[in-house]
Amino acid sequence: AGTQRARASAQTSLHVPYGDGEGEKLDIYFPTDPSGTFPVLVYIHGGYWQCLSKDESGFAAPPLVSRGVAVVAVGYDTAPKGHMDAMVLQVRRSLAFLVERYSGIRGIYLCGHSAGAHLAAMVLSTDWTEYGVAPDIKGAVLVSGVYDLEPILHTYVNDALNMSREVAQRNSPMLCVTPAAPAAAACEVLVAVAQHDSPEFRRQSQEYGQALRAAGWSVSLLDLADLDHFDIIEKLSEESYVLTQVGEELPSSL
């Protein structure tokens, strides 16, 4: 319902292709008054890399577009069609596309939940020289993410993904932490985890946050009481919640 409301209220471009692949599309919710320049929040959905889609991702848009922030929901080819290397590449390419296509973007904020937080974390370790652009990523909100894929190799999640150990290692944010470049030092990373997330999720969030911090990134760890893996992201669409607070700070940080 939140997505439908967002589509009704905002100036919206749906299914914008950033590549030729079937899943390579973006839903873009422009701010109510896109006067020249605006910050953009890029939302990457979860679903264990094999379900959900960008179509359920518009819920975060209304409180932000009303404050002058564009919201982009990223589509990518989920498994079994998509494999892990391809999904990581798609999400990186979607950002390169946004920067090239919309000159009004001033500052990108990433947000991902679960598998989406994994993909957002992989974006943080991108070598952008290969893409010919340098997205100005000012912040990342990583919610109940997976940062080490190896434990997944032996679970049902890997039935659809079919990852080898090598694929899991090269796509594990824990193993790809790059020293914060001068630009990245200004990027605020918020690693959020729910009190009732599984011990493995909680452990990974803590360790990934510490690894980023050790590499010079600016990191806050947020442990949210009384929430579980799923309702933590629903909370994000509520006015008073973290994302909207980040949203309130956005215009002032431009």
Side-chain angles (χ1 to χ4, degrees):
T3 297
Q4 284 161 336
R5 201 166 59 243
R7 290 181 173 177
S9 67
Q11 184 189 334
T12 302
S13 298
L14 299 179
H15 317 302
V16 176
Y18 64 86
D20 301 329
E22 199 187 336
E24 298 183 356
K25 298 196 169 58
L26 306 171
D27 287 350
I28 305 174
Y29 303 87
F30 289 100
T32 351
D33 173 29
S35 53
T37 63
F38 47 87
V40 66
L41 177 96
V42 175
Y43 180 78
I44 306 167
H45 72 80
Y48 286 110
W49 305 275
Q50 53 202 293
C51 50
L52 297 180
S53 73
K54 68 177 175 53
D55 304 335
E56 297 90 12
S57 301
F59 63 85
L64 289 168
V65 293
S66 67
R67 295 197 176 101
V69 181
V71 175
V72 175
V74 178
Y76 52 92
D77 284 316
T78 49
K81 185 179 189 297
H83 55 90
M84 190 58 74
D85 288 323
M87 288 184 246
V88 169
L89 191 61
Q90 284 178 326
V91 173
R92 288 170 169 170
R93 283 197 359 251
S94 75
L95 253 78
F97 167 84
L98 277 172
V99 173
E100 284 171 351
R101 172 81 181 267
Y102 301 101
S103 56
I105 292 175
R106 288 293 170 274
I108 293 172
Y109 295 78
L110 297 171
C111 176
H113 173 240
S114 194
H118 159 268
L119 293 168
M122 288 301 290
V123 168
L124 293 181
S125 72
T126 307
D127 175 2
W128 291 107
T129 52
E130 296 172 35
Y131 296 82
V133 295
D136 180 17
I137 301 173
K138 290 198 181 302
V141 181
L142 308 176
V143 185
S144 293
V146 181
Y147 308 108
D148 175 3
L149 298 181
E150 277 208 60
I152 285 170
L153 289 173
H154 314 291
T155 69
Y156 76 94
V157 173
N158 201 34
D159 295 350
L161 291 169
N162 209 4
M163 287 187 295
S164 65
R165 169 159 275 108
E166 190 192 8
V167 169
Q169 286 177 338
R170 78 168 162 257
N171 291 293
S172 287
M174 262 309 286
L175 305 176
C176 308
V177 172
T178 47
C187 173
E188 302 276 340
V189 183
L190 181 63
V191 180
V193 68
Q195 179 184 356
H196 303 300
D197 261 320
S198 74
E200 178 66 15
F201 273 104
R202 293 176 57 81
R203 178 186 73 78
Q204 288 202 16
S205 290
Q206 189 120 34
E207 289 182 6
Y208 180 61
Q210 287 165 348
L212 279 178
R213 195 175 279 156
W217 293 75
S218 171
V219 183
S220 314
L221 272 164
L222 191 63
D223 195 334
L224 292 153
D226 305 325
L227 296 177
D228 67 28
H229 186 74
F230 297 101
D231 56 19
I232 185 171
I233 193 67
E234 287 167 22
K235 278 274 186 192
L236 288 184
S237 58
E238 291 176 11
E239 289 283 331
S240 62
Y241 203 63
V242 175
L243 204 54
T244 349
Q245 287 162 2
V246 174
E248 283 179 341
E249 285 160 24
L250 288 178
S252 65
S253 66
L254 294 184

